[in-house]
């Protein structure tokens, strides 16, 4: 699926950007990876569940410069090694790095071994990353994992496995916390206005829809 959204820059209310968002189900569990480009040449990839997103980028003439991870579960990082080999830098939250590097990953329970990769950079809650002409605000959202985050790019919100269409992420994996997840979801739903929500699995939604219909709101 492909979505184009026009939004205002996070740092300057005077400039509008046309950002193309390309949704690519990828990897063993078909988790959503999101390709974002503003200039049609360089791209940021949010999560990298498999090589499908990289192949999609090549078909569109895009060079993935950065991979931003919402969290460290295998179905969202399975393609990170391939992305690094192709020249991308991989980033995760400071709070998630230890979880990401500790292993063993949940993939081993499914007989899958994540190709090894390194974390090139980290970020914290409240940081704004200026990448490939786009700005990404980091929103800490622990609960599904200890250091999970969401990313806001203009009027789009990428929620990983924190917030889904009328649902939320699981908390019964190692490092999960139902209490933290509830707080994280409420923090997201308290964001002013109505943002388009792009979750780590299944269909997109919106904050307005989730405020009304999500049982965890």
């Amino acid at each position: 699926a492909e979505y184009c959204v026009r939004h205002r820059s996070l740092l300057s209310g005077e400039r509008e950007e046309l950002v193309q968002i390309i949704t690519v189900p990828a990897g063993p569990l078909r988790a959503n990876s999101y390709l974002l480009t503003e200039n049609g040449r360089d791209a940021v990839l949010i999560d990298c569940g498999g090589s499908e997103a990289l192949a999609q980028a090549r078909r569109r003439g895009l060079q993935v410069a950065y991979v931003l991870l919402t969290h460290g579960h295998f179905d969202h990082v399975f393609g990170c090694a391939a992305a690094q080999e192709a020249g991308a830098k991989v980033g995760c939250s400071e709070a998630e790095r230890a979880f990401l590097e500790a292993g063993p990953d949940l993939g081993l329970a499914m007989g899958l071994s994540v190709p090894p990769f390194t974390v090139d950079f980290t970020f914290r809650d409240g940081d704004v990353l200026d990448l490939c002409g786009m700005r990404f605000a980091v929103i800490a959202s622990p609960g599904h994992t200890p250091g999970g985050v969401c990313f806001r790019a203009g009027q789009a919100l990428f929620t990983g496995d924190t917030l889904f269409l009328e649902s939320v992420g699981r908390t019964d994996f190692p490092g999960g916390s139902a209490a933290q997840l509830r707080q994280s979801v409420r923090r997201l739903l308290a964001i002013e206005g109505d943002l388009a929500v792009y979750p780590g699995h299944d269909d997109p939604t919106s904050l307005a829809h989730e405020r009304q219909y999500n049982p965890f709101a």
Side-chain angles (χ1 to χ4, degrees), residues 75-118:
D75 54 325
H76 294 259
V77 306
F78 203 82
C80 285
Q84 280 189 323
E85 290 173 5
K89 295 185 181 299
V90 177
C92 72
S93 76
E94 287 184 4
E96 189 78 349
R97 184 169 190 165
F99 175 83
L100 186 64
E101 296 177 343
D105 189 87
L106 293 173
L108 293 178
M110 300 182 62
L112 299 169
S113 178
V114 175
F117 66 95
T118 57

Side-chain angles (χ1 to χ4, degrees), residues 32-119:
N32 290 329
S33 297
Y34 295 101
L35 276 167
L36 286 83
T37 182
E38 188 268 338
N39 60 19
R41 299 183 305 275
D42 306 310
V44 173
L45 181 58
I46 296 180
D47 288 340
C48 189
S51 60
E52 294 91 336
L54 303 175
Q56 182 71 246
R58 287 193 295 271
R59 284 194 292 270
R60 294 173 177 272
L62 298 172
Q63 175 64 46
V64 177
Y66 300 95
V67 178
L68 300 179
L69 298 178
T70 61
H71 65 292
H73 283 157
F74 78 98
D75 54 325
H76 294 259
V77 306
F78 203 82
C80 285
Q84 280 189 323
E85 290 173 5
K89 295 185 181 299
V90 177
C92 72
S93 76
E94 287 184 4
E96 189 78 349
R97 184 169 190 165
F99 175 83
L100 186 64
E101 296 177 343
D105 189 87
L106 293 173
L108 293 178
M110 300 182 62
L112 299 169
S113 178
V114 175
F117 66 95
T118 57
V119 174

Side-chain angles (χ1 to χ4, degrees), residues 137-153:
V138 179
I139 304 171
S141 58
H144 182 66
T145 62
V149 297
C150 300
F151 300 103
R152 179 178 179 176

